[in-house]
């Protein structure tokens, strides 16, 4: 009760118009709020009053039709579809068809919320609000109404209760028993006073997040109910979140509602402010560094959508990546979020000439890879548009490939503004990037991301150190060539020629055999049994590793079956053995590599067969990417060398087996494949066979002071596994002490 009363006081402090305890709302079967029954969620008198105020030129009959549309039952729809349908009405108004004075059909749009003037809306907080479902009568803790519509749901627990109980017990129950409450919901806050989290109606528990900062990224972040209420329910901030930081997207037939997280809300609004000052900053909108896995691609959607909606002008966004698979993925993100409505062939450049054509036309969005800004040697790229309302959004703007084409982009679009989105910080020697984009516009670093549980922490372990090459063997040339050959796997021959000694040490058969055997043992002995990626130096080695792991996998399976045949064990142990055999038998593996000309012959020359793998990549349905992302699909290990190591999200992937020399951004992006939040996964693990992390601090020094902020002492994206082991020891000691006290 004390927590509820304090929360109500908070809403009064932030200027909500009215609060009321509705426990005794019903007297003699009559509601003091004007509801006709407890099943009715919308406060119709307040809604009608607000619509009349917001639409002074519309007739009473038109307002009545809008009220009818907003309050009609949506019980035939899924919860998510009902919510999306109502969200569109809130955001864009209710289209009403009626007969006008001349008895002709007319259409009017009825505004439901005044997004630009918060004080022009009615904000009401109800506590102890009774709702009847089909079979059950429920009472909610706090409901926030805007213009009579229940948009904010707050569930409170006693301070000594685990916060997850609010999700497991209350929220899940309400969704089942009083689903009509969530038709209207904008977001959900769960709190026990000391801990508070926010999420959408489709968020699983692990995707409910903290909201630590209210006004700026520079604030000291505080986890408290007061911070989350002031940061999300202040009238102006609340309308901004609902209007501009919410979208729906469909994946695998499931409708997901995304509500921006605290770092996205603050970071994107920083970027919007840079656009508002476009004359002052001369189109250098800045570098938006948010750690890999913390939702950077969603931030891009929020950024573009808010500009289209809130800033005057005929804005075009040119969104640039440097790999074809990333280009397709980023287009799909925008399309799934309903931001892009044009067909893919109309907005995704399929050639350098097609790109030129698209930039001369008028599109809200254009997608391309940067290599399409190419010209013949000695030629200058032509000017395509002198518009000053084009915003060039470059993903991973600091990669080495970027410099080559930056000038061509400038020549093509001399008056465009530029913003760089990146998952890794700028490093020493990247002054050129800053010349084009300006300084950081938003920073959300490795440490913040882990602390906020936006990503899970990463740990590494060096396994089989005798197989790792010393620094003398593995010179900088190898890493440089690999770093620069990321886009073109045909350059592998260059690697073999220029670094033949080092290359041959890495791909030696006996070395790969030991690693393959170790991968099998390690993979099957892990605690959290997530999916895994094996990363090899090139395509040939990826296929070779697949063959070798398959060999040792079968050997392991045969050993298990022998144990089962000879089993003189308890029934429990027998079941465990059978369960393990089933897991090993059903586990699928695949090679993911891009194709090249004459590859069948090239692989055959090395004693390898690519045809089976190519067939699977080309024909399997659902695709291998979908299978790997699907937690329940038995495709559990993939063998890669360049594809999927940047910009590919499979949240259940928890282990990366690294046997490829790497450095800089490519290394950081690769290890981030294991940092996605997923159910009971508590960390990602990088198993280092090549010795990349032997000199971790050297690898990270490039991100030091040269980056102009963002990377601080001790702020590393990955820590040695010994740190995790130490945490385990401490937890065991605490548990023992607790037991002794009892």
């Amino acid at each position: 009760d004390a927590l509820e009363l304090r929360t109500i006081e908070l809403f009064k402090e932030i200027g909500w118009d009215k609060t009321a305890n509705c426990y005794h709302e019903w007297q003699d079967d009559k509601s003091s709020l004007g509801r006709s029954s407890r099943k009715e969620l919308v406060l119709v008198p307040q809604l009608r009053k607000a619509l009349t105020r917001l639409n002074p030129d519309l007739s009473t009959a038109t307002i009545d039709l809008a009220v009818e549309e907003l309050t009609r039952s949506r019980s035939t729809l899924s919860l998510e579809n009902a919510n999306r349908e109502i969200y569109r009405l809130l955001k864009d108004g209710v289209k009403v068809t009626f007969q006008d004075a001349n008895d002709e059909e007319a259409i009017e749009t009825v505004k439901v919320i005044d997004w630009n003037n918060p004080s022009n809306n009615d904000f009401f907080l109800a506590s102890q609000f009774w709702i009847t479902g089909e079979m059950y009568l429920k009472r909610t803790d706090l409901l926030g109404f805007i213009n009579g519509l229940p948009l904010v749901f707050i569930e409170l627990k006693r301070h000594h209760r685990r916060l997850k109980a609010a999700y497991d017990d209350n929220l899940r129950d309400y969704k089942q028993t009083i689903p009509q409450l969530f038709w209207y919901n904008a977001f959900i806050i769960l709190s026990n006073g000391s801990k508070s989290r926010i999420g959408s109606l489709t968020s699983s528990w692990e995707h409910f997040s903290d909201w630590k900062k209210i006004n700026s990224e520079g604030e000291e972040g505080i986890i408290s109910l007061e911070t989350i209420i002031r940061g999300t329910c202040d009238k102006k901030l609340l309308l901004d979140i609902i209007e501009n930081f919410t979208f729906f997207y469909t994946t695998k037939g499931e409708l997901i509602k995304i509500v921006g997280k605290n770092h996205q809300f603050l970071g994107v609004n920083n970027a919007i402010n840079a656009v508002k000052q476009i004359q002052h900053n001369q189109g250098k909108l800045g570098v938006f560094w948010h750690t890999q896995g913390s939702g950077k691609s969603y931030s891009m959607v929020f950024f573009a959508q808010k500009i289209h909606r809130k800033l005057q002008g005929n804005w075009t966004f040119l969104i640039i990546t440097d790999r074809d698979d990333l280009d397709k993925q980023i287009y799909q993100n925008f399309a799934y979020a309903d931001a892009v409505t044009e067909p893919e062939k109309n907005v995704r450049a399929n050639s350098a000439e097609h790109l030129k054509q698209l930039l001369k036309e008028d599109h809200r969005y254009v997608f391309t890879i940067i290599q399409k800004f190419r010209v013949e040697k000695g030629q200058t790229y032509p000017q395509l548009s002198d518009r000053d309302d084009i915003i060039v959004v470059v993903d991973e703007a600091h990669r080495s490939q970027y410099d080559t084409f930056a000038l061509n982009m400038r020549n093509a679009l001399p008056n465009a503004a530029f913003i760089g989105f990146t998952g890794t910080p700028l490093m020493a020697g990247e002054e050129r990037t800053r010349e084009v984009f300006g300084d950081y516009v938003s920073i959300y670093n490795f440490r913040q991301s882990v602390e906020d549980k936006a990503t899970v922490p990463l740990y590494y372990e060096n396994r089989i150190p005798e197989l790792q090459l010393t620094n003398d063997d593995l010179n900088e040339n190898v890493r440089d060539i690999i770093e620069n050959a990321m886009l073109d796997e045909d350059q592998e021959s260059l690697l073999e020629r220029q670094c033949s000694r080092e290359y041959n040490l890495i791909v030696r058969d006996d070395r790969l055999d030991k690693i393959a055997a170790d991968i099998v043992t390690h993979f099957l002995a892990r605690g959290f049994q997530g999916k895994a990626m094996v990363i090899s130096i090139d395509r040939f080695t990826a296929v070779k590793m697949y063959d070798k792991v398959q060999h040792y996998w079968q050997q392991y399976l045969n050993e298990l079956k022998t144990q089962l045949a000879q089993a003189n064990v308890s029934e429990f142990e027998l079941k465990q053995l059978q369960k393990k055999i089933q897991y090993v038998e059903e586990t699928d593996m695949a090679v993911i590599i891009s194709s090249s000309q004459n590859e069948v012959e090239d692989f055959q020359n090395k004693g390898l067969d690519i045809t089976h793998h190519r067939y699977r990549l080309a024909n399997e349905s659902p695709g291998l990417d979908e299978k790997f992302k699907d937690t329940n699909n038995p495709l559990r290990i993939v063998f890669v060398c360049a594809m999927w190591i940047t910009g590919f999200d499979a949240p259940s992937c928890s282990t990366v087996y690294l046997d490829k020399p790497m450095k800089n951004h490519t290394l950081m992006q690769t290890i981030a494949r294991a940092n996605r939040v997923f159910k009971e996964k508590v960390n990602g693990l990088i198993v280092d066979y090549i010795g990349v992390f032997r000199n971790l601090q050297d690898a990270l020094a490039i991100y030091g002071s040269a980056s102009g902020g963002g990377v601080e002492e001790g702020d590393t994206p990955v820590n040695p596994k010994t740190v995790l082991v130490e945490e385990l020891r401490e937890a065991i000691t605490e548990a023992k002490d607790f037991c002794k006290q009892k």
Side-chain angles (χ1 to χ4, degrees), residues 371-583:
Q371 291 82 351
K372 292 196 166 84
F373 276 100
R374 61 176 178 268
V375 285
E376 295 301 320
K377 207 168 182 180
Q379 290 184 357
T380 303
Y381 201 91
Q383 179 174 321
L384 300 176
S385 173
D386 61 358
R387 286 172 53 193
D388 61 2
D389 52 4
I390 294 176
I391 294 178
V392 180
V393 177
V394 183
D395 190 29
E396 299 307 341
H398 47 54
R399 289 211 196 129
S400 50
Q401 292 77 17
Y402 172 75
D403 278 356
T404 322
F405 301 100
L407 184 60
N408 292 347
M409 279 199 295
R410 274 291 183 214
N411 290 336
L413 309 165
N415 300 320
F418 284 72
I419 183 167
F421 279 74
T422 173
T424 48
L426 299 179
M427 63 185 200
E430 292 192 329
E431 286 71 21
R432 179 72 187 277
T433 306
R434 215 181 241 106
E435 282 172 31
V436 175
F437 296 100
D439 286 319
Y440 287 121
V441 67
S442 176
I443 290 175
Y444 188 62
N445 64 26
F446 314 118
R447 179 180 43 79
Q448 291 169 302
S449 177
V450 170
E451 284 174 359
D452 292 352
K453 300 180 180 64
T455 56
V456 298
L458 290 173
Y459 298 92
Y460 70 88
E461 63 172 324
N462 291 306
R463 285 178 76 84
I464 335 186
E466 69 272 16
L467 296 185
Q468 291 178 12
L469 312 179
T470 66
N471 281 357
D472 297 336
D473 290 323
L474 185 60
N475 64 28
E476 200 63 11
N477 281 353
V478 183
R479 290 200 185 100
D480 282 340
I481 288 173
I482 288 174
E483 179 85 359
N484 295 325
M486 281 298 293
L487 305 173
D488 183 1
E489 288 168 11
D490 291 340
Q491 290 188 28
E492 289 157 349
S493 55
L494 177 72
L495 185 66
E496 282 191 69
R497 282 200 315 275
Q498 291 193 359
C499 307
S500 58
R501 182 168 159 271
E502 296 87 345
Y503 176 82
N504 287 321
L505 282 168
I506 292 170
V507 302
R508 248 183 25 232
D509 247 24
D510 60 335
R511 179 178 181 276
L512 297 181
D513 271 316
K514 276 188 180 173
I515 290 172
D518 189 66
I519 286 173
V520 173
T521 311
H522 182 274
F523 181 86
L524 292 166
R526 298 168 308 154
F528 174 72
Q529 294 278 306
K531 299 199 175 189
M533 292 177 123
V534 179
I535 298 172
S536 298
I537 191 167
D538 61 10
R539 293 171 305 151
F540 303 115
T541 315
V543 172
K544 202 180 281 187
M545 281 304 291
Y546 169 89
D547 292 344
K548 289 181 182 299
V549 169
Q550 284 281 9
H551 168 75
Y552 289 106
W553 193 266
Q554 192 57 48
Q555 223 175 60
Y556 188 90
L557 180 60
N558 293 340
E559 286 168 19
L560 289 177
K561 286 180 173 176
T562 305
Q563 284 178 39
L564 186 67
Q566 301 168 345
N568 183 19
V569 291
S570 68
E571 192 178 337
F572 173 76
E573 288 169 316
L574 193 68
K575 280 183 178 169
Q576 292 298 99
L577 200 52
Q578 288 168 334
K579 198 172 167 186
K580 191 157 197 177
I581 288 170
Q582 185 188 347
Y583 181 85

Side-chain angles (χ1 to χ4, degrees), residues 192-259:
N192 63 5
S194 59
K195 291 178 181 173
S196 305
R197 289 194 182 185
I198 181 171
S200 80
L201 78 114
T202 65
S203 298
S204 52
W205 166 248
E206 64 270 17
H207 286 107
F208 270 75
S209 59
D210 300 328
W211 198 283
K212 295 181 182 176
K213 299 176 180 183
I214 299 170
N215 300 307
S216 78
E217 294 182 330
E219 291 173 29
E220 182 68 33
I222 300 168
I223 297 177
S224 74
L225 182 57
E226 178 162 355
T227 306
I228 207 168
I229 298 296
R230 290 186 185 280
T232 63
C233 295
D234 167 272
K235 290 180 178 180
K236 186 180 173 187
L237 301 179
L238 174 57
L239 292 188
D240 193 13
I241 292 168
I242 298 173
E243 182 187 16
N244 303 306
F245 289 85
T246 303
F247 67 77
F248 294 79
Y249 80 95
T250 306
T251 174
K252 290 182 286 203
E254 190 179 0
L255 188 62
I256 305 289
K257 183 177 186 177
I258 299 295
V259 175

Side-chain angles (χ1 to χ4, degrees), residues 125-347:
L125 182 74
S127 60
Q128 304 301 308
F129 190 86
W130 293 97
I131 307 165
T132 304
E134 289 300 318
M135 293 183 286
Y136 298 94
L137 176 63
K138 297 287 176 179
R139 189 175 78 240
T140 61
D141 290 339
L142 295 171
L143 269 184
F145 291 81
I146 301 180
N147 298 341
L149 300 166
L151 300 188
V152 180
F153 172 85
I154 301 175
E155 177 66 23
L156 302 172
K157 302 303 288 180
R158 295 164 188 261
H159 68 89
H160 61 267
R161 291 288 306 277
R162 286 174 64 231
L163 183 56
K164 192 168 184 285
Y167 178 88
D168 289 338
D169 303 342
N170 305 76
L171 182 58
R172 281 174 51 225
D173 177 60
Y174 287 154
K175 280 192 199 173
Q176 292 291 320
T177 56
I178 45 171
Q180 72 268 35
L181 169 61
F182 297 96
W183 295 346
Y184 299 90
N185 181 260
F187 58 75
I188 294 158
I189 292 175
L190 308 174
S191 180
N192 63 5
S194 59
K195 291 178 181 173
S196 305
R197 289 194 182 185
I198 181 171
S200 80
L201 78 114
T202 65
S203 298
S204 52
W205 166 248
E206 64 270 17
H207 286 107
F208 270 75
S209 59
D210 300 328
W211 198 283
K212 295 181 182 176
K213 299 176 180 183
I214 299 170
N215 300 307
S216 78
E217 294 182 330
E219 291 173 29
E220 182 68 33
I222 300 168
I223 297 177
S224 74
L225 182 57
E226 178 162 355
T227 306
I228 207 168
I229 298 296
R230 290 186 185 280
T232 63
C233 295
D234 167 272
K235 290 180 178 180
K236 186 180 173 187
L237 301 179
L238 174 57
L239 292 188
D240 193 13
I241 292 168
I242 298 173
E243 182 187 16
N244 303 306
F245 289 85
T246 303
F247 67 77
F248 294 79
Y249 80 95
T250 306
T251 174
K252 290 182 286 203
E254 190 179 0
L255 188 62
I256 305 289
K257 183 177 186 177
I258 299 295
V259 175
K261 292 181 164 36
N262 192 191
H263 63 277
Q264 293 169 319
F265 182 74
L266 295 174
V268 168
N269 278 330
N270 284 355
I272 301 280
N273 288 334
V275 177
K276 289 177 182 173
Q277 296 162 28
I278 209 162
Q279 301 300 326
H280 176 69
N281 56 38
Q282 299 173 313
K284 293 182 183 181
L285 302 179
V287 175
F288 189 103
W289 168 35
H290 282 204
T291 297
Q292 290 283 336
S294 60
K296 182 166 54 80
S297 53
Y298 290 165
S299 295
M300 285 186 194
V301 176
F302 293 137
F303 172 67
Q305 287 286 75
K306 183 168 180 178
I307 286 174
H308 275 311
R309 190 168 170 91
K310 305 303 281 185
L311 300 190
Q312 280 188 328
N314 181 36
W315 299 96
T316 290
F317 287 89
L318 171 60
I319 297 171
I320 295 178
T321 59
D322 63 1
R323 290 238 312 279
D324 204 56
D325 53 335
L326 296 182
D327 182 45
K328 185 173 181 65
Q329 187 183 324
I330 218 156
Y331 163 78
Q332 286 172 339
N333 279 342
F334 276 80
Y336 292 159
D338 282 341
V340 176
T341 50
E342 291 187 81
E344 186 173 351
K345 64 181 186 333
N346 291 6
V347 291

Side-chain angles (χ1 to χ4, degrees), residues 525-670:
R526 298 168 308 154
F528 174 72
Q529 294 278 306
K531 299 199 175 189
M533 292 177 123
V534 179
I535 298 172
S536 298
I537 191 167
D538 61 10
R539 293 171 305 151
F540 303 115
T541 315
V543 172
K544 202 180 281 187
M545 281 304 291
Y546 169 89
D547 292 344
K548 289 181 182 299
V549 169
Q550 284 281 9
H551 168 75
Y552 289 106
W553 193 266
Q554 192 57 48
Q555 223 175 60
Y556 188 90
L557 180 60
N558 293 340
E559 286 168 19
L560 289 177
K561 286 180 173 176
T562 305
Q563 284 178 39
L564 186 67
Q566 301 168 345
N568 183 19
V569 291
S570 68
E571 192 178 337
F572 173 76
E573 288 169 316
L574 193 68
K575 280 183 178 169
Q576 292 298 99
L577 200 52
Q578 288 168 334
K579 198 172 167 186
K580 191 157 197 177
I581 288 170
Q582 185 188 347
Y583 181 85
V584 174
E585 279 183 330
E586 70 181 17
T587 295
D588 185 18
M589 306 177 199
V591 173
I592 311 295
I593 52 176
S594 56
S595 60
S596 62
Q597 291 181 319
N598 306 312
E599 66 175 3
V600 174
E601 192 181 332
D602 291 343
F603 276 87
Q604 280 173 350
N605 290 340
K606 291 185 181 280
L608 300 165
D609 181 12
I610 186 63
T611 52
H612 162 69
H613 305 297
R614 187 59 61 214
Y615 183 84
R616 286 195 74 182
L617 274 162
N619 298 298
E620 209 141 306
S621 179
L624 293 177
D625 55 345
E626 286 297 312
K627 287 184 172 182
F628 193 65
K629 289 177 182 184
D630 178 358
T631 327
N632 301 316
N633 191 285
L635 177 56
R636 295 182 180 127
I637 307 178
V638 292
F639 296 78
V640 305
C641 63
M643 282 178 73
W644 289 16
I645 65 176
T646 58
F648 177 80
D649 282 0
S652 63
C653 178
S654 62
T655 312
V656 170
Y657 295 103
L658 189 58
D659 193 32
K660 174 174 181 168
M662 285 185 169
K663 65 177 198 174
N664 300 355
H665 309 300
T666 312
L667 173 62
M668 297 307 147
Q669 286 165 344
T670 301

